[in-house]
Amino acid sequence: MKGAMKTPLKAPMKNLLLGTLLASFSAGALAQATGFPPPPERPRFVSVSGDGEVSAVPDRARLQLGVTQLSADVATAEAEVNKVVRTYLAEAKKLGAKDEQITTTGVSIQPEYVWDEKERRNQLTGYRVSRDIELRITSLDKLGAFLLAATKSGVNQVQPPQLESSKAKELENQALAAAAKDAQAKASLLASTLGVKLGGVRSIAENGSSPPVPMVKAMAMRAEAADGNAQMGISTGEIRVRASVNAEFDLAP
């Protein structure tokens, strides 16, 4: 027989052979063969979060107090409230509070009603007058004395003291630095566990610092104690500041 007749390849077979041939090339050879640049390598990185916390002894406090009085006559209610406020301010100044540490500008006057079923309408019964007192205390050993003086003077609304530190910004920065170190330690642990090398930081974002959290410790109450803190069983303990971050670190090839 003369030379065997060659059967032309069909289109699907041609594509399969071409794909197999191209797959056998390296990225560089493929780039040279096709004239197109190789696809960029996917970045290798690890994402972690970090948390930090610092604690400190508070050195000041903020007291939120209030006086409220209900009376049929608004002037009477207002006079009684103002009398209590003046009495407490005098006691607070005896304990060492200065004018710049006291705020008494909050005033509220609200009419009070009750529903009259017979008349089918609200009936005015009087007026509730309220005043707010904010006191910034810089001597925590007198905190209990300020509270005792408030109730003694007729103050009838007392919020829990808000403990603070004059170094609040410094504490926030320390907590943030601790959070960053925690994120780096986590990333390093993950990289070493998986047998890769940790590279530089790609990005880092602060999640924000939480407000100081007071950790108030109780004391045994002593009726014979001379100072207000011991008499009320108050111990200021410490405050804690927390911060957190999200970070991404490169993984070295």
Side-chain angles (χ1 to χ4, degrees), residues 49-53 169 171-180 204-212 240-246:
S49 63
D51 301 295
E53 179 180 286
K169 190 62 180 179
L171 294 175
E172 291 176 5
N173 290 338
Q174 292 176 5
L176 187 60
I204 187 167
E206 178 189 6
N207 288 335
S209 301
S210 65
R240 296 179 181 177
V241 180
R242 301 184 178 97
S244 62
V245 298
N246 290 327

Side-chain angles (χ1 to χ4, degrees), residues 31-194:
Q32 293 179 0
T34 62
F36 292 102
E41 293 186 5
R42 296 180 61 183
R44 289 153 43 96
F45 62 92
V46 58
S47 298
V48 294
S49 63
D51 301 295
E53 179 180 286
V54 296
S55 60
V57 176
D59 56 11
R60 63 189 185 189
R62 191 179 300 270
L63 278 183
Q64 298 285 347
L65 310 172
V67 184
T68 183
Q69 181 66 42
L70 177 64
S71 178
D73 178 63
V74 65
T76 301
E78 191 173 21
E80 292 178 359
V81 167
N82 292 340
K83 179 181 178 181
V84 172
V85 171
R86 290 194 303 269
T87 300
Y88 179 66
L89 293 184
E91 293 296 323
K93 289 182 179 181
K94 288 180 183 178
L95 293 171
K98 300 179 181 179
D99 289 337
E100 58 268 23
Q101 296 175 269
I102 304 170
T103 303
T104 59
T105 55
V107 181
S108 173
I109 301 176
Q110 297 290 337
E112 294 278 329
Y113 297 91
V114 295
W115 178 254
D116 189 324
E117 185 65 29
K118 183 178 180 180
E119 298 290 335
R120 303 296 297 172
R121 63 186 178 89
N122 284 323
Q123 295 281 3
L124 178 67
T125 60
Y127 296 88
R128 183 174 297 278
V129 177
S130 303
R131 287 191 64 182
D132 297 328
I133 305 172
E134 182 179 287
L135 185 63
R136 296 176 295 281
I137 300 173
T138 55
S139 300
L140 288 186
D141 58 331
K142 296 181 180 180
L143 178 58
F146 278 104
L147 290 170
L148 290 173
T151 54
K152 180 181 178 181
S153 301
V155 173
N156 50 21
Q157 294 180 339
V158 180
Q159 299 294 326
Q162 298 298 311
L163 301 178
E164 300 175 348
S165 172
S166 58
K167 300 178 180 179
K169 190 62 180 179
E170 181 181 339
L171 294 175
E172 291 176 5
N173 290 338
Q174 292 176 5
L176 187 60
K181 291 181 180 179
D182 182 52
Q184 185 178 39
K186 288 180 179 178
S188 179
L189 175 62
L190 290 173
S192 62
T193 301
L194 298 176

